[in-house]
Amino acid sequence: MFKVIGGRALPAARLLAPRCGVWVESVRGRKSRNDPPAKSKEGRIKLPPPVDPVEMVVMKERFTEYNLIMRALRLEFKEEVLRKKYEEETGSLAEERARQDAEEHKILMEWNGAENHRMLKIRQLRVQKETEEADQRKLEVILKRDHERQAFIQQKEQEILQLQEDAKNFITLENLDQRIEEALDRPRNYNYAVDREGRVVKRTVLD
């Protein structure tokens, strides 16, 4: 019998046989969870595999060495991160950042001043426009009041003229006899009846 890679022993006839086809090795199937234990293994107590003491010592040493190396690497990386952070806060990078912050602050202050100047102009224009509108409204109110006062004066003047015109027909002591004679010469009958439309339908005859 010959030894092959993997520690399995194969017969010489199988190795020297012509390769006319693919050889498939039969594989024993696995048991399911519900299958009972084999009769040959009934009452067997499964013990953990034996551990070589020398191998255990070597594995412990290697595991301890591995933990020490990983801890040293973590501390090294942490120290590097803290060093970079410290340099950014207090080192040369801090000076560069302070200079950049000062330049940015200067730029922002200039922009703020320009924005305040622009808003001041807008506010001045708005105040000026509001003042002009208020003055225009006041002027319109004054003109309206003047127009109403002029209209009132003209109305009163018309009433005075109309009253003066009507006063010519008033009865006074000077024309009392004349008015009596005119009334006697032109008698008027006010004794009459009217319908719903205001038409005179019946009038009495004066004696």
Side-chain angles (χ1 to χ4, degrees):
M1 298 183 69
F2 294 90
K3 295 290 183 178
V4 297
I5 298 174
R8 297 183 58 187
L10 296 176
R14 183 181 297 177
L15 294 174
L16 298 177
R19 298 181 180 180
C20 58
V22 179
W23 177 75
V24 179
E25 184 179 1
S26 61
V27 180
R28 184 178 62 182
R30 296 181 62 86
K31 294 171 61 176
S32 64
R33 293 180 179 271
N34 300 325
D35 292 340
K39 294 182 179 180
S40 61
K41 299 196 178 168
E42 290 181 354
R44 187 190 68 165
I45 299 175
K46 188 175 182 180
L47 299 175
V51 178
D52 188 3
V54 178
E55 183 181 0
M56 177 62 68
V57 172
V58 173
M59 293 300 297
K60 284 186 177 181
E61 291 178 355
R62 292 181 179 179
F63 186 70
T64 304
E65 184 179 358
Y66 170 79
N67 287 335
L68 292 175
I69 293 173
M70 294 303 296
R71 181 180 179 185
L73 289 175
R74 283 194 290 267
L75 292 176
E76 184 70 22
F77 294 153
K78 184 177 180 181
E79 183 180 358
E80 184 178 356
V81 172
L82 293 176
R83 187 187 305 110
K84 289 183 179 180
K85 184 177 180 181
Y86 177 78
E87 290 178 355
E88 290 180 357
E89 293 178 353
T90 60
S92 58
L93 295 179
E95 296 178 357
E96 181 66 20
R97 177 169 294 181
R99 185 181 61 81
Q100 293 178 359
D101 292 342
E103 293 179 356
E104 184 178 2
H105 178 71
K106 182 180 179 181
I107 294 173
L108 292 176
M109 289 300 294
E110 292 177 355
W111 176 84
N112 189 25
E115 189 69 14
N116 289 337
H117 185 66
R118 186 179 67 86
M119 294 303 296
L120 177 62
K121 288 184 178 180
I122 295 175
R123 185 164 56 252
Q124 289 176 351
L125 292 175
R126 187 183 71 250
V127 172
Q128 182 179 0
K129 183 178 180 180
E130 292 177 355
T131 304
E132 292 177 355
E133 291 178 354
D135 295 340
Q136 183 67 23
R137 287 194 297 270
K138 290 181 181 179
L139 181 60
E140 291 177 356
V141 171
I142 293 174
L143 293 176
K144 183 178 180 181
R145 289 179 180 177
D146 292 341
H147 181 71
E148 292 177 353
R149 186 168 58 254
Q150 292 294 333
F152 179 76
I153 292 173
Q154 292 179 1
Q155 181 181 1
K156 294 304 178 180
E157 289 178 352
Q158 293 293 332
E159 291 178 358
I160 292 173
L161 294 175
Q162 184 66 31
L163 185 60
Q164 290 177 355
E165 187 68 22
D166 295 339
K168 296 178 180 179
N169 298 324
F170 288 172
I171 298 175
T172 60
L173 293 175
E174 289 78 7
N175 59 4
L176 180 59
D177 297 336
Q178 182 181 356
R179 290 301 180 89
I180 292 174
E181 291 178 359
E182 291 177 357
L184 293 175
D185 295 337
R186 295 192 299 272
R188 293 184 179 182
N189 185 11
Y190 295 101
N191 190 9
Y192 55 84
V194 296
D195 58 3
R196 295 180 180 275
E197 285 74 17
R199 295 189 297 269
V200 177
V201 295
K202 184 177 182 181
R203 185 190 300 272
T204 58
V205 180
L206 295 175
D207 294 338

